[in-house]
Amino acid sequence: MKRILVTGGAGFIGSNFIHYVLNNCEDVELLVNLDLLTYAGNLENLLSVQDDKRYVFVHGDIRDSKLVNEIFDKYKFDTVVHFAAESHVDRSIVEPEIFLTTNIVGSQTLLDAAKRHWNVDPDNKYSREYLPGVKYLQVSTDEVYGALGKTGMFTESTPISPNSPYSASKASADLVVRAYYQTYGMPVNITRCSNNYGPYQFPEKLIPLMLNNAQHNKPLPIYGDGMQIRDWLHVSDHCSAILTVLKKGRNGEVYNIGGNNERANIEIVRLILNELGKDESLISYVKDRPGHDRRYAIDNAKITTELGWSPAYTFQRGMHETLEWYLNNPGWVERVVSGDYLDYYSKMYSKA
Ligand code: NAD
Ligand code: TYD
């Protein structure tokens, strides 16, 4: 793992991953971040690495096959970590199409470029031989499994049963990745992680949204009864799990990633209010999200026993540090919410 292509590296998890890799992986010579800078992409997340000689930013679309092939030619990647996606369930309910093109066609474009550059005989459709050490990792989600009732957990063999346009697009992409393994023998892995929290998360997702609203004494909109359960993992633990799979994962395998940390939404919201010293009267129960999955829970036995990964963060420490980060970086949140950073991009790229 010397020359990595990270897609979606200006987003929440991608930017945390870039920091994690550049701080922890001595073998990495080059890390290229390909990102379209949609509303969710923010180069401010990467200010501290922009002068790192190993880091290159490419502004572009994962669906642009010409561009993707050009950067494969130029940078000779041996590893692809594919984060780029439309990632918010609520947006997918009102605008499904972009989820399908970005999340499915974008993945297929990257897979094709990787196959062309990594297969030792790319024009031979029967060739299943690849350059040594290459790997494509698809960053997926536990949401592809659908919803659980009060009991049970998602294992890697739980049937795919997505309920939102977002999770359907991620599930479809996973099936395309599987097909490239089965048909072409491509060295791939799929990781399916539970809900992440931590620094640089766009304030449309539960934790930063509630935190921001509470700080400004705005109502905290809880869907339905607030008893939906998510299995929360600190983003840094997600990053360490991805690196573990890159190093030790068996080709073609899926690995679930989760921290055995199930919490009801209302519990998270109360915790935030409590930490900020705000009153529960800010809680506002609103009409439920259509198709809202009741419960997610990850069985992480495969990655822990087979690959030896385990999360480092307790929820208490992770939430404490996360709330502190948001409180210490009010400018980051304000610029994201006000859209100032979008103006910054349009100025920055006006010459291109
Ligand atoms: P995010 O929305 O914060 O970031 C997505 C990034 O992708 C942004 O920087 C955006 O500009 C970029 N992007 C979007 N469309 C693009 C395109 N066509 N070409 C190039 N770049 C494009 O998302 P996130 O929360 O960081 O999630 C990253 C990945 O992890 C996604 O694939 C998501 O499905 C998966 N995931 C997220 C969670 C979570 O809790 N956030 C949990 C499990 C899995
Ligand atoms: P979210 O952060 O959107 O992640 P996901 O839908 O991918 O799990 O939402 C987490 C949970 O919080 C989910 O059950 C929906 C709920 N939620 C609310 O109740 N109100 C909100 O305003 C948001 C954004 C989410």
Side-chain angles (χ1 to χ4, degrees):
M1 197 183 77
K2 293 196 160 129
R3 306 178 72 81
I4 311 180
L5 171 62
V6 171
T7 68
F12 163 47
I13 306 175
S15 59
N16 276 282
F17 183 75
I18 290 174
H19 287 289
Y20 197 97
V21 168
L22 294 177
N23 287 332
N24 293 291
C25 302
E26 282 170 10
D27 47 340
V28 170
E29 292 167 359
L30 172 81
L31 188 157
V32 174
N33 170 18
L34 171 62
D35 198 300
L36 186 58
L37 300 179
T38 68
Y39 79 94
N42 185 354
L43 287 182
E44 197 180 331
N45 302 357
L46 295 161
L47 282 180
S48 66
V49 302
Q50 68 181 8
D51 295 328
D52 189 312
K53 289 191 172 54
R54 296 166 294 173
Y55 174 72
V56 175
F57 173 64
V58 176
H59 184 210
D61 193 328
I62 52 167
R63 293 163 295 185
D64 180 346
S65 151
K66 185 167 169 285
L67 171 70
V68 171
N69 277 287
E70 272 168 16
I71 61 173
F72 263 88
D73 279 338
K74 181 168 178 189
Y75 295 113
K76 313 259 178 287
F77 305 118
D78 56 28
T79 305
V80 174
V81 184
H82 177 32
F83 293 99
E86 288 293 335
S87 71
H88 191 41
V89 174
D90 289 327
R91 286 179 190 256
S92 82
I93 293 168
V94 292
E95 207 184 350
E97 186 179 347
I98 180 111
F99 283 72
L100 271 59
T101 62
T102 299
N103 298 357
I104 308 170
V105 177
S107 298
Q108 180 258 327
T109 306
L110 289 163
L111 283 160
D112 263 351
K115 178 161 78 68
R116 165 137 296 275
H117 287 81
W118 292 347
N119 193 295
V120 297
D121 187 5
D123 294 323
N124 172 3
K125 72 178 177 191
Y126 297 106
S127 170
R128 298 174 74 84
E129 200 185 330
Y130 289 82
L131 299 175
V134 295
K135 175 88 86 181
Y136 174 99
L137 189 143
Q138 179 81 4
V139 180
S140 187
T141 164
D142 59 356
E143 301 192 30
V144 302
Y145 297 121
L148 292 165
K150 286 202 170 75
T151 58
M153 294 180 124
F154 298 133
T155 71
E156 289 79 358
S157 52
T158 299
I160 300 290
S161 187
N163 292 321
S164 71
Y166 162 66
S167 54
S169 68
K170 293 295 291 185
S172 307
D174 285 10
L175 297 180
V176 177
V177 176
R178 177 193 148 86
Y180 274 64
Y181 173 70
Q182 297 291 343
T183 304
Y184 309 114
M186 270 195 62
V188 300
N189 283 119
I190 298 171
T191 55
R192 295 190 180 135
C193 191
S194 57
N195 284 61
N196 285 211
Y197 68 96
Y200 303 118
Q201 187 166 30
F202 196 87
E204 65 184 354
K205 303 276 170 75
L206 182 74
I207 291 175
L209 181 133
M210 297 299 174
L211 180 61
N212 189 44
N213 284 14
Q215 272 183 286
H216 295 93
N217 296 314
K218 287 196 205 153
L220 310 191
I222 297 198
Y223 294 142
D225 61 2
M227 291 306 291
Q228 299 83 4
I229 289 174
R230 300 291 182 262
D231 184 351
W232 293 92
L233 186 76
H234 192 275
V235 63
S236 159
D237 284 327
H238 189 183
C239 295
S240 72
I242 289 173
L243 281 177
T244 303
V245 174
L246 283 173
K247 286 183 184 147
K248 300 189 201 163
R250 283 182 294 128
N251 285 341
E253 292 292 314
V254 175
Y255 293 93
N256 284 352
I257 304 170
N260 299 320
N261 182 39
E262 291 181 52
R263 310 273 164 176
N265 295 337
I266 186 69
E267 185 188 345
I268 303 266
V269 168
R270 288 206 171 109
L271 188 152
I272 292 170
L273 287 170
N274 197 31
E275 287 271 332
L276 295 185
K278 298 280 181 173
D279 197 84
E280 290 202 7
S281 59
L282 286 175
I283 293 175
S284 162
Y285 288 94
V286 298
K287 196 167 177 187
D288 207 352
R289 174 190 272 176
H292 199 171
D293 289 334
R294 192 70 182 163
R295 174 172 165 258
Y296 302 145
I298 282 274
D299 179 339
N300 66 8
K302 184 171 173 181
I303 190 169
T304 54
T305 55
E306 191 182 298
L307 306 187
W309 172 85
S310 60
Y313 273 84
T314 60
F315 188 59
Q316 210 182 9
R317 176 181 152 216
M319 274 303 277
H320 181 72
E321 284 185 19
T322 301
L323 296 185
E324 228 170 38
W325 186 88
Y326 282 96
L327 295 177
N328 289 334
N329 291 278
W332 183 90
V333 180
E334 272 160 35
R335 281 186 289 282
V336 170
V337 172
S338 71
D340 277 1
Y341 79 111
L342 293 173
D343 295 339
Y344 163 72
Y345 292 146
S346 64
K347 280 182 208 128
M348 189 164 174
Y349 293 103
S350 56
K351 285 187 225 129

